[in-house]
Amino acid sequence: MSMYRPEKADELIKTAKAMVAPGKGVLAIDESNGTCNKRFEANGIDATEEKRRQYRELLLTTPDLEKYVSGAILFDETIRQSAADGTSFIDVMHKRGQVVGIKVDTGAKPLAGSDGEKVTEGLDGLRERLGEYYEMGARFAKWRAVITIDTAKGLPTRGCIEANAHALARYAALCQEAGLVPMIEPEVLIDGEHDIATCEQVTEEGLVEVFDQLHRQNVMLEGVILKTSMVISSKGASNRAGVDEVADRTVETLLRTVPAALGGVVFLSGGQGVEESTAHLNAMHKRHGDRLPWPLTFSYARAIQGPALEYWKGEPGNVEEAQKRALKRARFNGLASQGEYSADMESA
Ligand code: 5MM
């Protein structure tokens, strides 16, 4: 069956459209406690639940953020927390007209039988968890799969690509049954020494498999958001490709692999530089804006939060300036999602 419509099809399509509304993108603040604590420790901030709450409050209450940020992906701990004045974070977001998202995978675990690859877990009991999140007010859910490139070891393997794509499709179908838009995130990691052509080849193979599996599991593409990595040189590559080449190869790869019916495409920043992430998105729109069949925008974590986290340092007196820094990245990425950003704005 290829034209399946879930019961909540209209609601799913409406949610997906709101997530990728013109000039806006989605903020990722769904770090699991382990990842969040690691980032706190690097900035001399105590790794406590209260500090994590304060930090998420700082970001979610940033004045004017809703002009550029349509919604945010939360972690299970965060979706149950509240601002200091007692307003739940869910209400904080709803009052600003933002869509509440939740990370529902339970992490990438070693793939048995593979030399260093991972498969994302979290399908057991997922239907019940999705039901609870929907009742709480969440309207989209994210699942991240990671694909490692290691040419010397022959990675990625077909087994890894297929296992992750299958899990993504199973989770996506469950999300749509529950009325939550799946934000499917197959991330090709930037780590290693491979060149951009290798990244392009792996990204293409991965996306073809993901959309094949989505089709087999009767997932309605109009109610799906793809969160993908860009086609980019690895961190350790000797001749890293420039902004225009990243933009061109990324758009060409997406056009070859992503059906036009999809609700939207958003990018993760994946360890790229903060300004680089904005420049890449902007170049895609400047150079190819008229060829894109789906909205194309951002869903960055580090590339929006980075400057704010570094400034905050866990100090109440730094909150206002840290919020200004988060807003600046959100605004610039909002402009980039329409091809209206320019590097001169950074120093203005
Ligand atoms: C926020 O980080 C998310 C993963 O967290 P865990 O590894 O702790 O589960 C991640 O999925 C994030 O949403 C995306 O990778 C985007 O973040 P970046 O920093 O790549 O833009």
Side-chain angles (χ1 to χ4, degrees):
M1 182 159 54
S2 60
M3 288 171 59
Y4 178 77
R5 274 179 73 82
E7 216 174 286
K8 296 188 172 144
D10 293 345
E11 184 185 352
L12 292 166
I13 293 168
K14 204 171 137 207
T15 301
K17 284 202 168 117
M19 289 166 68
V20 292
K24 295 186 185 181
V26 176
L27 172 66
I29 53 167
D30 59 312
E31 297 84 1
S32 52
N33 290 347
T35 305
C36 188
N37 292 345
K38 224 186 322 167
R39 295 195 181 144
F40 275 13
E41 276 153 20
N43 284 281
I45 302 163
D46 293 343
T48 62
E49 178 174 351
E50 174 55 16
K51 281 288 176 205
R52 291 192 295 273
R53 192 203 61 74
Q54 288 173 12
Y55 180 56
R56 267 62 182 256
E57 175 169 356
L58 179 161
L59 293 168
L60 291 173
T61 61
T62 293
D64 287 337
L65 196 74
E66 67 277 12
K67 288 187 185 163
Y68 316 106
V69 168
S70 59
I73 319 164
L74 310 180
F75 183 56
D76 182 73
E77 176 183 275
T78 318
I79 202 171
R80 301 173 194 281
Q81 288 175 327
S82 302
D85 69 1
T87 314
S88 71
F89 285 151
I90 295 175
D91 286 347
V92 167
M93 291 180 65
H94 284 163
K95 282 185 185 149
R96 294 168 157 233
Q98 292 173 315
V99 190
V100 175
I102 179 77
K103 182 230 292 294
V104 296
D105 67 70
T106 55
K109 308 284 162 58
L111 177 65
S114 162
D115 186 7
E117 293 180 298
K118 291 188 167 170
V119 64
T120 301
E121 295 187 348
L123 288 173
D124 289 355
L126 183 57
R127 176 176 275 128
E128 291 69 30
R129 289 196 289 131
L130 292 171
E132 185 195 0
Y133 290 135
Y134 184 91
E135 284 305 312
M136 291 173 81
R139 287 297 176 270
F140 75 96
K142 196 202 80 172
W143 178 292
R144 171 171 172 258
V146 295
I147 304 293
T148 305
I149 299 181
D150 185 333
T151 44
K153 284 190 186 171
L155 307 184
T157 62
R158 278 300 306 167
C160 174
I161 288 173
E162 285 172 17
N164 276 297
H166 178 75
L168 275 167
R170 296 264 314 278
Y171 123 89
L174 282 162
C175 284
Q176 292 197 333
E177 178 188 276
L180 291 149
V181 167
M183 178 188 261
I184 55 170
E185 183 183 10
E187 174 175 4
V188 176
L189 295 177
I190 200 169
D191 308 319
E193 292 174 4
H194 56 272
D195 58 12
I196 190 169
T198 308
C199 178
E200 180 170 349
Q201 193 193 339
V202 170
T203 305
E204 176 169 326
E205 191 178 342
L207 289 175
V208 167
E209 186 63 32
V210 165
F211 285 100
D212 185 30
Q213 292 287 341
L214 290 177
H215 182 257
R216 287 168 201 241
Q217 299 301 326
N218 290 323
V219 175
M220 182 188 69
L221 295 183
E222 291 83 348
V224 173
I225 300 293
L226 169 69
K227 174 161 176 168
T228 181
S229 37
M230 294 181 192
V231 173
I232 192 166
S233 315
S234 66
K235 282 232 156 129
S238 46
N239 255 328
R240 299 199 75 220
V243 171
D244 288 350
E245 187 175 359
V246 170
D248 294 353
R249 286 192 188 248
T250 301
V251 169
E252 297 299 344
T253 303
L254 293 174
L255 289 174
R256 285 197 299 269
T257 55
V258 180
L262 196 82
V265 180
V266 297
F267 291 107
L268 58 95
S269 56
Q272 299 177 47
V274 164
E275 292 177 22
E276 209 184 357
S277 313
T278 311
H280 285 148
L281 177 61
N282 191 59
M284 289 182 214
H285 282 277
K286 269 232 145 80
R287 296 165 71 79
H288 305 283
D290 52 350
R291 305 168 64 208
L292 305 175
W294 1 253
L296 185 72
T297 185
F298 63 92
S299 174
Y300 298 150
R302 285 164 287 179
I304 290 189
Q305 297 180 41
L309 179 62
E310 279 164 30
Y311 191 88
W312 178 51
K313 298 267 181 249
E315 299 294 333
N318 292 346
V319 168
E320 206 179 308
E321 178 58 28
Q323 289 180 325
K324 284 190 185 144
R325 291 177 186 222
L327 183 71
K328 181 174 171 185
R329 289 330 312 165
R331 186 163 71 83
F332 285 170
N333 285 304
L335 288 170
S337 73
Q338 304 200 295
E340 289 167 6
Y341 161 84
S342 114
D344 317 338
M345 295 173 178
E346 296 287 350
S347 47

